[in-house]
Amino acid sequence: MSEIFKIKESGSLGRGLFTAKLIKKGEQILEFKGPIISYEETKKYIPDMGNPIQIASYEYIDLLAPGVLVNHSCSPNAGVKNDRYLVAIEDILPGQEICYDYSTTMDENNWTLECKCGSPNCRHIIGDFRHLPLDIQKKYLDLNIVQSFIAKKLLANIAQHGISGSGN
Ligand SMILES: [Zn+2]
């Protein structure tokens, strides 16, 4: 296992992934790996007991460690680039927990998860990307940390209907 992170208990969230040394903004932390499974197969998990990462409308990676241990945060310090690489979006100091926003990978027809990340701007519900506030969607799209199938769908939608919710 890489020496840039270590597994530790993470409060109420169970285990999490923490930095073992400074990880610089833009640095790749890990690749999400595991067998590809269908949406139907993800239902074997009760919420919180496993979090397969969505990579297409009906396709998921059934995550292996260490990727499966990365927790969600509404104030993430990492994000997923090119569908499967966890990358730091800010400098992450030694000993900090590494988290990404699960909504950047979610387009699940309204399946949601309660959030207890504890960040000041916690949304309390983790849901599909398209339900995020528009400013947060834009931030994640600008950082290029939205799964490509979601970004493509949004762009197609904007091309067809224009940007909904933009200021009048
Ligand atoms: Zn939260």
Side-chain angles (χ1 to χ4, degrees), residues 72 74 115 117 122-123:
H72 163 91
C74 298
C115 187
C117 77
C122 179
R123 304 188 301 267

Side-chain angles (χ1 to χ4, degrees), residues 57 103-107 128-142 144-165:
S57 292
S103 290
T104 59
T105 69
M106 288 172 58
D107 186 38
D128 287 345
F129 183 80
R130 64 177 181 275
H131 297 313
L132 289 175
L134 285 179
D135 57 328
I136 297 177
Q137 288 190 23
K138 182 171 181 338
K139 177 187 153 190
Y140 291 152
L141 286 166
D142 287 348
N144 196 21
I145 53 168
V146 180
Q147 295 300 67
S148 52
F149 79 97
I150 297 175
K152 274 183 201 148
K153 221 190 244 190
L154 275 177
L155 288 174
N157 212 25
I158 289 168
Q160 213 180 343
H161 304 292
I163 301 169
S164 61

Side-chain angles (χ1 to χ4, degrees), residues 72-75 115-119 121-126:
H72 163 91
S73 172
C74 298
S75 299
C115 187
K116 297 173 202 154
C117 77
S119 84
N121 55 346
C122 179
R123 304 188 301 267
H124 306 293
I125 294 280
I126 307 167

